[in-house]
Amino acid sequence: MNLSLNGPGLWYVTRATGIVTLLMLTFSVFLGVVTRSRRSTRRLPRFVLVGLHRNVSLMVMVFLALHVLTTVIDSYTNISVLDAFVPFLSQYRPVYLGLGALACDALIVVVVTSLLRERIGFRTWKTLHLLSYLCWPVALVHAWGTGTDPGVAWGRWIGYGCVAFIACVVGWRVAIGARPNRADTLAP
Ligand code: HEM
């Protein structure tokens, strides 16, 4: 069975799902940082943040799957399923597509080990979860290097917005790092 299709429709879907994946990944990194900081409010208790982080991460996987699927079945470029998972194998834009494959692999490891956290133990999970810090910048460079939309102003502003947002999140996390949680200080 030949699943190859062609036409601009698929290409638009690849671009749209790529952007949604990047935005949701950015949001997921934010939720992960907030969850780990153990800061919560009465309106946004920790269990809500943890649940939101997990569900947004699963949605990232759904949009990434669509992004990869439309890329692979689009016969305009000759990108195979293997190219999507084995970095730097593709003949089409090997470096930037290879970075996409790297981010994809890292994301799969992070999500699968999170689902198996009880079985693999906290230490192993925590070590592997550090891959999420690699995944986000690598995915961003992939998008910037191979995307069509970073060539136009609104596409570039999405990229700048994501970078500024993550810079603020990391800055906030570093700033509060040394300060104890208010709830801790109130504890008897
Ligand atoms: C976490 C992983 C990934 C993220 C967040 C991501 C995100 C993005 C984004 C934001 C774009 C720019 C879309 C545009 O505005 O033009 C893009 C482009 C692209 N991505 Fe990915 N991507 C990822 C992984 C992959 C993988 C594994 C493949 C391989 C199948 C792939 C194939 C492509 C292709 C072919 C383009 C160029 C589309 C165009 O011509 O504009 N991506 N990606």
Side-chain angles (χ1 to χ4, degrees), residues 83-123:
D83 297 335
F85 298 101
V86 184
F88 313 115
L89 201 70
S90 168
Q91 288 177 356
Y92 178 81
R93 299 179 184 164
V95 174
Y96 289 120
L97 215 77
L99 292 176
L102 205 62
C104 180
D105 291 343
L107 206 59
I108 290 171
V109 172
V110 167
V111 171
V112 170
T113 52
S114 294
L115 295 174
L116 298 174
R117 186 169 141 170
E118 303 278 300
R119 287 201 192 173
I120 62 172
F122 182 74
R123 271 193 164 202

Side-chain angles (χ1 to χ4, degrees), residues 54-108:
R54 191 187 54 211
N55 289 333
V56 170
S57 306
L58 292 174
M59 289 306 287
V60 171
M61 294 306 286
V62 171
F63 281 99
L64 179 59
L66 282 173
H67 182 59
V68 168
L69 182 73
T70 50
T71 300
V72 168
I73 62 176
D74 189 347
S75 58
Y76 179 75
T77 54
N78 196 16
I79 301 170
S80 70
V81 178
L82 217 58
D83 297 335
F85 298 101
V86 184
F88 313 115
L89 201 70
S90 168
Q91 288 177 356
Y92 178 81
R93 299 179 184 164
V95 174
Y96 289 120
L97 215 77
L99 292 176
L102 205 62
C104 180
D105 291 343
L107 206 59
I108 290 171

Side-chain angles (χ1 to χ4, degrees), residues 3-179:
L3 268 180
S4 287
L5 296 169
N6 204 341
L10 271 181
W11 181 54
Y12 284 122
V13 180
T14 300
R15 286 161 59 189
T17 50
I19 291 171
V20 175
T21 307
L22 183 67
L23 289 174
M24 294 196 76
L25 184 62
T26 305
F27 190 46
S28 174
V29 171
F30 159 71
L31 289 170
V33 171
V34 176
T35 306
R36 282 298 298 158
S37 75
R38 301 194 169 271
R39 303 285 140 145
S40 53
T41 62
R42 221 174 270 171
R43 280 194 180 175
L44 260 183
R46 194 156 182 273
F47 78 91
V48 172
L49 287 169
V50 170
L52 202 58
H53 178 48
R54 191 187 54 211
N55 289 333
V56 170
S57 306
L58 292 174
M59 289 306 287
V60 171
M61 294 306 286
V62 171
F63 281 99
L64 179 59
L66 282 173
H67 182 59
V68 168
L69 182 73
T70 50
T71 300
V72 168
I73 62 176
D74 189 347
S75 58
Y76 179 75
T77 54
N78 196 16
I79 301 170
S80 70
V81 178
L82 217 58
D83 297 335
F85 298 101
V86 184
F88 313 115
L89 201 70
S90 168
Q91 288 177 356
Y92 178 81
R93 299 179 184 164
V95 174
Y96 289 120
L97 215 77
L99 292 176
L102 205 62
C104 180
D105 291 343
L107 206 59
I108 290 171
V109 172
V110 167
V111 171
V112 170
T113 52
S114 294
L115 295 174
L116 298 174
R117 186 169 141 170
E118 303 278 300
R119 287 201 192 173
I120 62 172
F122 182 74
R123 271 193 164 202
T124 313
W125 166 79
K126 201 179 167 194
T127 309
L128 290 171
H129 215 73
L130 292 176
L131 281 174
S132 47
Y133 287 104
L134 172 89
C135 182
W136 183 81
V138 170
L140 188 78
V141 177
H142 152 79
W144 204 263
T146 197
T148 303
D149 298 315
V152 290
W154 68 264
R156 274 196 297 278
W157 278 106
I158 288 181
Y160 298 149
C162 288
V163 172
F165 183 65
I166 291 296
C168 290
V169 171
V170 172
W172 169 79
R173 184 66 185 91
V174 171
I176 64 151
R179 266 186 275 154

